[in-house]
Amino acid sequence: MSVDPKTLSIVHYPAEVLRQKAKEVPDVTADVRRVAERMIELMFEAEGIGLAAPQVGLPWRMFVAHVPENEDRSLGADPLEATGEPMVCINPRLSQPERDLVPLDEGCLSLPEIVGEVRRPSRITMTALGIDGREFTVRAAGLLARCWQHENDHLDGVLIIDRMTPPSRLRNRNALKALEQRAVFH
Ligand code: ZN
């Protein structure tokens, strides 16, 4: 799994790696930690709130997330709505989704120009390994819960274009075609 983190960059749809089912990270090694740190840098540079390993071309079950605290998103709340620092989630497992589905517009760093409404459970619990290799379990609400679900989808090769409401899908049809064309003529 040796990777030079400096060579990593964000890949765009329709890159094949975005459609693969990612593999468990067998061990939280120094390499894995360096990749996670590079992913945090790339997330900040792109002004995103989450980035999954397949989005930098690595089919690993790992993502980073950072939803800053503000007046709507309080830190230290139970369930958590914000992250004080960027979090690294390795081999995450989501459970106990709230039954209510909430619609919200979502974008994706791998799908430039695409924004559409996705309905997701408002709360979710995650068990994962942190960058220190220790397991943690946290419940989240609001934007953080949405971010985890979006990033976790990436690990299964699922994108927002698969989950969008039909009107959003229709609205984004041309933008999506343009992305596919751009790849063909590259
Ligand atoms: Zn995404």
Side-chain angles (χ1 to χ4, degrees):
M1 300 227 295
S2 194
V3 173
D4 178 1
K6 286 197 290 289
T7 63
L8 299 176
S9 61
I10 296 177
V11 300
H12 291 164
Y13 174 87
E16 223 174 278
V17 65
L18 294 171
R19 289 312 204 175
Q20 286 175 19
K21 192 168 166 66
K23 293 211 169 68
E24 295 252 316
V25 175
D27 202 2
V28 183
T29 59
D31 257 359
V32 171
R33 286 196 292 272
R34 277 193 291 269
V35 167
E37 276 157 20
R38 176 68 182 140
M39 284 171 58
I40 290 169
E41 263 176 34
L42 289 167
M43 172 178 70
F44 277 121
E45 278 170 27
E47 296 179 0
I49 59 168
L51 187 66
Q55 293 184 275
V56 298
L58 300 173
W60 300 1
R61 299 194 80 78
M62 169 164 100
F63 66 78
V64 298
H66 184 51
V67 174
E69 185 183 12
N70 66 19
E71 57 199 16
D72 305 323
R73 303 195 280 269
S74 55
L75 192 61
D78 183 23
L80 201 62
E81 292 175 32
T83 49
E85 291 182 355
M87 65 190 303
V88 177
C89 309
I90 300 166
N91 301 338
R93 290 190 310 277
L94 301 184
S95 62
Q96 295 173 278
E98 191 82 19
R99 255 200 276 151
D100 301 2
L101 296 180
V102 180
L104 195 78
D105 276 348
E106 281 185 32
C108 177
L109 296 178
S110 293
L111 287 157
E113 321 285 316
I114 308 265
V115 175
E117 193 176 76
V118 179
R119 296 161 64 82
R120 298 194 191 268
S122 59
R123 289 168 189 227
I124 197 100
T125 297
M126 173 170 59
T127 299
L129 302 179
I131 197 163
D132 57 3
R134 286 209 206 129
E135 189 179 272
F136 64 88
T137 297
V138 202
R139 190 157 176 80
L143 193 59
L144 185 59
R146 178 172 293 271
C147 171
W148 287 355
Q149 293 173 75
H150 175 121
E151 301 312 330
N152 193 66
D153 272 352
H154 275 299
L155 310 186
D156 293 324
V158 174
L159 300 171
I160 52 172
I161 48 174
D162 310 321
R163 292 211 186 267
M164 272 181 198
T165 55
S168 287
R169 205 167 293 186
L170 209 58
R171 232 185 355 260
N172 282 285
R173 203 171 42 180
N174 290 338
L176 196 63
K177 269 206 192 113
L179 275 178
E180 286 162 1
Q181 293 289 337
R182 210 186 295 171
V184 171
F185 293 113
H186 239 34

